[in-house]
Amino acid sequence: MSFSDWAERPYSSLSGLKPLVPGLALTAAIAAAALTIRSATGWMALSPLILSIILGMLIRNTVTLPQSVEPGIRFSLKRILRAGIILLGLQITASQILSLGGAAIVMVTLTLATTFVAMRLAGRLMGVDRQLTDLIAAGTSVCGASAIIAANTVVRGKEEHVAYAVACVTLFGSISMIAYPLLAAPLGLDERAYGLWSGATIHEVAQVVAASFQAGDVAGQFGTVSKLARVVLLAPLVMTLAFAMRSNTTEGQRVKAPMPWFVLGFIAIMLANSVIAIPADISRNIVTLTNFLLAMALAAMGLQANIGKLRAEGWRPLALGAFGWIFIAAFGYAALKLFGF
């Protein structure tokens, strides 16, 4: 049985779990280290997901890992990842999204969809690998690293593709986090409009929070909620990617793309969270658990990413990331004005 098979088979006994322990222990240790670093620095914009993939890559490219860790790493890439994405639904309620108002929801949706399509077209024109293009487009248009790893369950890009895409959204999202507060006044944006613009166009949730609250509490609240609206749209985007890949044909053969049923779990959990009041302390613990599980998945990605292969991807994907960064900011601002904000 291959290592990848271990991640797919059911585990009905302790003996079936035993081969997973070394790899799970490694990815869990990396995730714990990432969360500890963020807690120790006190900088909440420092994403543990990004730290995890960086730490994983450092280990992968400096240490020879034993074969015994491979089953657990594969398991983290598959089941742990899906569990984390499903639990993301507990951080969002339907009432939060609806509080934005119809015009804002349409603006956010239009910006996301147009950016994703524009980046796919640009990637094709620039000669960027299709899988890498989809991952950078998902990370830019939706919600950074979380969107990249969710989209990769369908896209099935190489670990180096995931690492490159995460690097792109980290770089350009960090620039936005610093630049956006400086642009609010010159662009004539009040707190509400600035918050919507930040939430609709900045890559990572933590980056949105860091950028939007600099303009005040109203801006921070609208920024956070509009960003959560983009997170909700992760589910239909991943499903659309899956259906699109299944409808494609290569040399007469229909492409076999996995159907990401776990995103339905994400939607179900979000709807349940909308009607059931979860105590604040439990909610905080769930957020921590979700971040931990997703950090484990990113650690596993990093543990399989070769820096040499990452460098070999060249400058074109980085240029695509830059294009997407400029496009989503400009289009989001234009949409903001179009809808009267």
Side-chain angles (χ1 to χ4, degrees), residues 39-57:
S39 177
T41 60
W43 191 29
M44 301 314 290
L46 192 62
S47 169
L49 307 188
I50 295 167
L51 285 173
S52 291
I53 196 169
I54 291 173
L55 292 173
M57 289 176 66

Side-chain angles (χ1 to χ4, degrees), residues 44 153 190 192 216 257 327 329:
M44 301 314 290
T153 60
D190 60 20
R192 183 189 183 198
F327 183 91

Side-chain angles (χ1 to χ4, degrees), residues 186-202:
L187 292 177
L189 300 176
D190 60 20
E191 284 195 37
R192 183 189 183 198
Y194 172 73
L196 286 172
W197 184 51
S198 299
T201 60
I202 297 180

Side-chain angles (χ1 to χ4, degrees), residues 215-241:
D217 289 343
V218 172
Q221 291 163 5
F222 273 96
T224 302
V225 175
S226 58
K227 182 61 179 178
L228 291 178
R230 287 167 71 190
V231 176
V232 171
L233 294 172
L234 174 62
L237 175 68
V238 174
M239 293 295 285
T240 300
L241 278 173

Side-chain angles (χ1 to χ4, degrees), residues 33-312:
L35 288 168
T36 300
I37 290 172
R38 185 175 73 163
S39 177
T41 60
W43 191 29
M44 301 314 290
L46 192 62
S47 169
L49 307 188
I50 295 167
L51 285 173
S52 291
I53 196 169
I54 291 173
L55 292 173
M57 289 176 66
L58 288 175
I59 293 172
R60 163 68 173 82
N61 291 274
T62 57
V63 178
T64 301
L65 295 173
Q67 290 293 313
S68 60
V69 302
E70 292 296 332
I73 290 174
R74 293 289 183 186
F75 188 89
S76 296
L77 278 171
K78 297 178 183 290
R79 298 198 178 189
I80 297 295
L81 167 62
R82 287 161 172 75
I85 292 172
I86 289 172
L87 286 177
L88 272 177
L90 288 174
Q91 298 182 30
I92 311 167
T93 65
S95 61
Q96 286 177 319
I97 307 304
L98 294 175
S99 69
L100 287 174
I105 293 172
V106 172
M107 187 273 287
V108 170
T109 304
L110 182 63
T111 301
L112 184 155
T114 305
T115 299
F116 186 82
V117 172
M119 290 189 69
R120 289 194 89 188
L121 293 173
R124 184 181 305 171
L125 293 172
M126 296 168 66
V128 179
D129 179 274
R130 181 189 59 78
Q131 293 168 318
L132 180 53
T133 292
D134 283 349
L135 295 180
I136 296 175
T140 300
S141 61
V142 189
C143 55
S146 299
I148 291 167
I149 57 177
N152 197 53
T153 60
V154 174
V155 174
R156 290 184 168 181
K158 296 178 292 186
E159 284 74 15
E160 289 77 23
H161 287 163
V162 174
Y164 203 122
V166 169
C168 279
V169 301
T170 302
L171 172 62
F172 296 113
S174 297
I175 295 173
S176 294
M177 183 177 63
I178 297 169
Y180 270 45
L182 303 175
L183 295 173
L187 292 177
L189 300 176
D190 60 20
E191 284 195 37
R192 183 189 183 198
Y194 172 73
L196 286 172
W197 184 51
S198 299
T201 60
I202 297 180
H203 301 50
E204 286 275 349
V205 174
Q207 294 164 346
V208 170
V209 171
S212 60
F213 272 98
Q214 290 188 54
D217 289 343
V218 172
Q221 291 163 5
F222 273 96
T224 302
V225 175
S226 58
K227 182 61 179 178
L228 291 178
R230 287 167 71 190
V231 176
V232 171
L233 294 172
L234 174 62
L237 175 68
V238 174
M239 293 295 285
T240 300
L241 278 173
F243 281 116
M245 292 187 68
R246 282 172 171 251
S247 65
N248 288 337
T249 57
T250 302
E251 296 180 356
Q253 298 295 320
R254 188 173 295 275
V255 176
K256 293 183 178 179
M259 187 54 61
W261 299 114
F262 65 92
V263 299
L264 298 181
F266 165 86
I267 295 173
I269 289 292
M270 184 199 73
L271 294 176
N273 189 40
S274 301
V275 297
I276 300 173
I278 300 177
D281 56 339
I282 295 178
S283 179
R284 283 192 297 270
N285 290 333
I286 292 173
V287 170
T288 301
L289 175 61
T290 303
N291 288 335
F292 184 77
L293 294 177
L294 292 176
M296 284 181 67
L298 264 296
M301 291 282 184
L303 288 168
Q304 295 194 332
N306 186 299
I307 290 178
K309 293 181 179 179
L310 183 63
R311 191 182 302 115

